[in-house]
Amino acid sequence: MKETEGAEVMKLKEYINSTFPGLVLKPSLYYQWDKSIRFEFAKGLYQMKEETDELNHSYFHTVYNQAISLFHDLVSVEDKLLFVTNIYRYKNYGRRSKKKISVYYHYIKSKDVRFSLKQETLPYMFKEEEEADDFCTSQFTLECRKQDISYPSLIKAICNQDFPSLKPRLSNRYYRYDPDIFFINVTKSIILYIFDDRGCEVIARDIETLRPIYYKYRDLVDECCLEKVEKQFK
């Protein structure tokens, strides 16, 4: 892996600046961009079985199916992707461990594809937090295709991150938070961010790109955003 500001990192910066000007690649994309939808997974179901401490596996099965279905509809095998991971770490944490890029070792099928992985160190994304000055963001960028990613397992890992008993899971042993993963469809100018089992955010440069997704998954639109989202498509 090349851990310098190379072509891929610069391409990501240039792409965001030209396609989504002013956007910061961090959680809450929905609130940063006007052509956006926030979806809620497994509406009406709950993480735990009623009046028990037992996980509701029907809930998680629904979450996985909805998240993977959205990914399928947003990304085709012909599309070029930028698979971006933000890792939030202490500034004084060195480069001793390969744990920081385990998401790419576990979920990218080809070593040849992984070879082009790039890293850039950025300011911490959550400056309002206490001790924010002690942290920074390691941002990893990989250009790939849908078929290069073991995406069903990766999406399940993202959705499982708050539930230690569920596998697969993303590793966060060395970091402040679990990694944030963004699927940027360069071909269609779409960004998908699945934050956890609760839901995801989708933004696009062109509102018409989102129209089929809106109609297909309208029942999953987050209730708190429904009025704003519906106005976009009138």
Side-chain angles (χ1 to χ4, degrees), residues 42 45-47 49 55-64:
L45 299 177
Y46 298 94
Q47 297 157 335
K49 291 184 177 179
L55 290 176
N56 182 357
H57 291 286
S58 294
Y59 166 85
F60 289 98
H61 182 72
T62 302
V63 167
Y64 303 151

Side-chain angles (χ1 to χ4, degrees), residues 37-43 47 59 63 66-67 70 155 158-159 161-162 181 192-202 220-222:
I37 307 176
R38 186 181 174 102
F39 291 107
E40 179 185 349
F41 297 144
K43 276 189 173 183
Q47 297 157 335
Y59 166 85
V63 167
Q66 291 175 348
L70 262 168
I155 289 172
I158 296 170
C159 294
Q161 59 189 306
D162 292 329
I181 294 174
L192 168 64
Y193 168 57
I194 302 171
F195 41 90
D196 53 32
D197 62 289
R198 295 169 298 166
C200 69
E201 302 173 318
V202 183
L220 299 185
V221 175
D222 194 315

Side-chain angles (χ1 to χ4, degrees), residues 97-148:
S97 174
K98 291 184 179 180
K99 286 284 185 182
K100 61 186 176 181
I101 52 172
S102 62
V103 64
Y104 294 96
Y105 279 103
H106 291 161
Y107 300 109
I108 293 296
K109 300 174 184 177
S110 169
K111 181 172 68 174
D112 292 336
V113 175
R114 288 199 305 266
F115 182 75
S116 64
L117 181 65
K118 301 295 190 300
Q119 178 188 11
E120 184 181 20
T121 301
L122 302 174
Y124 188 52
M125 297 291 184
F126 312 105
K127 296 179 181 179
E128 70 281 0
E129 292 186 2
E130 187 176 351
E131 300 181 338
D133 290 344
D134 296 333
F135 292 87
C136 64
T137 303
S138 287
Q139 188 173 80
F140 295 86
T141 305
L142 181 70
E143 185 174 324
C144 61
R145 304 276 180 175
K146 178 180 183 177
Q147 54 269 32
D148 296 322

Side-chain angles (χ1 to χ4, degrees), residues 22-50:
L23 186 80
V24 179
L25 206 58
K26 67 176 186 177
S28 299
L29 299 179
Y30 171 83
Y31 297 103
Q32 296 185 57
W33 195 253
D34 58 349
K35 302 172 185 67
S36 57
I37 307 176
R38 186 181 174 102
F39 291 107
E40 179 185 349
F41 297 144
K43 276 189 173 183
L45 299 177
Y46 298 94
Q47 297 157 335
M48 313 300 292
K49 291 184 177 179
E50 190 174 357

